[in-house]
Amino acid sequence: MAQYLLNLIQPDGDAPPPPEFLAPIMRDIAAVNEEMRAAGVWVFAAGLHPASSATVVTPTGDDVLVTDGPFVEAKEHIGGFTLIEAPDLDSALSWAGKVARASTLPIEVRPVADGGE
Protein backbone atom coordinates (compact mmCIF):
# COMPACT_ATOMS: atom_id res chain seq x y z
CA MET A 1 0.00 0.00 0.00
CA ALA A 2 1.09 3.55 -0.65
CA GLN A 3 1.63 6.08 2.12
CA TYR A 4 -0.04 9.48 2.18
CA LEU A 5 0.65 12.50 4.36
CA LEU A 6 -2.47 14.32 5.53
CA ASN A 7 -1.37 17.85 6.50
CA LEU A 8 -3.74 19.85 8.69
CA ILE A 9 -3.69 23.45 7.41
CA GLN A 10 -4.14 25.85 10.31
CA PRO A 11 -4.48 29.65 10.31
CA ASP A 12 -1.37 31.41 11.60
CA GLY A 13 -1.45 32.63 15.18
CA ASP A 14 -0.12 31.60 18.56
CA ALA A 15 -3.34 31.63 20.58
CA PRO A 16 -5.14 28.27 20.74
CA PRO A 17 -8.92 28.30 20.53
CA PRO A 18 -10.79 28.40 23.85
CA PRO A 19 -11.28 24.98 25.51
CA GLU A 20 -15.03 24.92 24.92
CA PHE A 21 -14.36 25.18 21.16
CA LEU A 22 -11.28 22.95 21.05
CA ALA A 23 -12.50 20.05 23.25
CA PRO A 24 -15.15 18.70 20.83
CA ILE A 25 -12.73 19.03 17.90
CA MET A 26 -10.03 17.05 19.74
CA ARG A 27 -12.64 14.42 20.66
CA ASP A 28 -13.70 14.11 17.01
CA ILE A 29 -10.09 13.90 15.81
CA ALA A 30 -9.38 11.16 18.36
CA ALA A 31 -12.41 9.24 17.08
CA VAL A 32 -11.20 9.46 13.46
CA ASN A 33 -7.69 8.39 14.54
CA GLU A 34 -9.21 5.38 16.31
CA GLU A 35 -11.28 4.56 13.20
CA MET A 36 -8.10 4.71 11.08
CA ARG A 37 -6.28 2.42 13.55
CA ALA A 38 -9.16 -0.07 13.45
CA ALA A 39 -9.10 0.00 9.63
CA GLY A 40 -5.32 -0.61 9.62
CA VAL A 41 -4.44 2.58 7.69
CA TRP A 42 -3.09 4.74 10.55
CA VAL A 43 0.73 4.91 10.76
CA PHE A 44 1.52 8.02 12.81
CA ALA A 45 0.04 11.40 13.75
CA ALA A 46 1.27 14.48 15.60
CA GLY A 47 0.32 18.06 16.31
CA LEU A 48 2.93 20.77 15.93
CA HIS A 49 3.86 23.83 17.96
CA PRO A 50 3.12 27.19 16.25
CA ALA A 51 5.15 28.07 13.16
CA SER A 52 6.83 30.84 15.17
CA SER A 53 8.67 28.11 17.14
CA ALA A 54 10.37 26.80 13.99
CA THR A 55 14.10 26.98 13.32
CA VAL A 56 15.40 26.83 9.75
CA VAL A 57 18.76 25.29 8.89
CA THR A 58 19.98 26.33 5.42
CA PRO A 59 23.09 24.96 3.67
CA THR A 60 25.61 27.66 2.70
CA GLY A 61 28.61 26.12 0.99
CA ASP A 62 30.42 23.98 3.56
CA ASP A 63 28.48 25.49 6.46
CA VAL A 64 24.88 25.95 7.54
CA LEU A 65 22.92 29.07 8.49
CA VAL A 66 20.52 28.70 11.43
CA THR A 67 17.66 31.21 11.66
CA ASP A 68 14.64 31.53 13.91
CA GLY A 69 11.10 31.40 12.61
CA PRO A 70 9.34 29.64 9.78
CA PHE A 71 10.93 29.28 6.35
CA VAL A 72 8.29 31.53 4.77
CA GLU A 73 5.89 34.12 6.14
CA ALA A 74 2.36 32.86 5.58
CA LYS A 75 -1.20 33.24 6.81
CA GLU A 76 -1.46 29.44 7.19
CA HIS A 77 0.89 26.70 8.24
CA ILE A 78 0.93 22.98 8.93
CA GLY A 79 -0.50 22.56 12.41
CA GLY A 80 -0.28 18.78 12.49
CA PHE A 81 -0.19 15.73 10.28
CA THR A 82 -1.24 12.12 9.95
CA LEU A 83 0.64 9.49 7.96
CA ILE A 84 -1.57 6.73 6.57
CA GLU A 85 -1.20 3.68 4.33
CA ALA A 86 -3.98 3.43 1.78
CA PRO A 87 -4.55 1.36 -1.36
CA ASP A 88 -4.95 4.46 -3.55
CA LEU A 89 -5.46 8.22 -3.66
CA ASP A 90 -9.26 7.93 -3.57
CA SER A 91 -9.06 6.05 -0.28
CA ALA A 92 -6.58 8.61 1.12
CA LEU A 93 -8.92 11.44 0.08
CA SER A 94 -11.81 9.71 1.83
CA TRP A 95 -9.83 9.55 5.08
CA ALA A 96 -8.73 13.17 4.60
CA GLY A 97 -12.39 14.15 4.34
CA LYS A 98 -13.07 12.55 7.71
CA VAL A 99 -10.11 14.37 9.25
CA ALA A 100 -11.25 17.66 7.67
CA ARG A 101 -14.75 17.29 9.09
CA ALA A 102 -13.38 16.39 12.53
CA SER A 103 -10.79 19.19 12.63
CA THR A 104 -12.92 21.80 10.80
CA LEU A 105 -9.76 22.68 8.85
CA PRO A 106 -8.48 22.01 5.32
CA ILE A 107 -6.33 18.90 4.83
CA GLU A 108 -3.58 18.72 2.20
CA VAL A 109 -3.06 15.17 0.91
CA ARG A 110 0.38 14.30 -0.46
CA PRO A 111 1.67 10.91 -1.57
CA VAL A 112 4.92 9.92 0.12
CA ALA A 113 7.66 9.31 -2.43
CA ASP A 114 8.44 5.58 -2.42
CA GLY A 115 6.22 5.31 0.64
CA GLY A 116 5.10 1.76 1.15
CA GLU A 117 5.47 0.83 -2.51
Side-chain angles (χ1 to χ4, degrees):
M1 277 203 268
Q3 292 184 333
Y4 295 88
L5 187 64
L6 312 181
N7 288 319
L8 188 137
I9 308 301
Q10 184 172 329
D12 199 27
D14 291 335
E20 63 273 9
F21 180 77
L22 190 57
I25 291 172
M26 296 308 293
R27 179 197 64 227
D28 293 347
I29 290 172
V32 172
N33 283 342
E34 185 54 40
E35 184 181 353
M36 286 191 281
R37 283 185 186 97
V41 301
W42 189 89
V43 175
F44 181 78
L48 301 173
H49 286 281
S52 60
S53 69
T55 304
V56 179
V57 179
T58 306
T60 58
D62 292 336
D63 204 3
V64 293
L65 174 65
V66 179
T67 55
D68 291 336
F71 179 67
V72 296
E73 296 293 325
K75 294 180 182 178
E76 301 174 321
H77 63 276
I78 297 173
F81 61 90
T82 301
L83 181 65
I84 64 170
E85 289 183 337
D88 54 40
L89 179 59
D90 288 339
S91 178
L93 293 173
S94 178
W95 286 110
K98 292 179 182 199
V99 175
R101 285 189 296 280
S103 68
T104 72
L105 293 170
I107 304 299
E108 175 193 52
V109 178
R110 294 184 68 180
V112 175
D114 298 325
E117 293 181 348

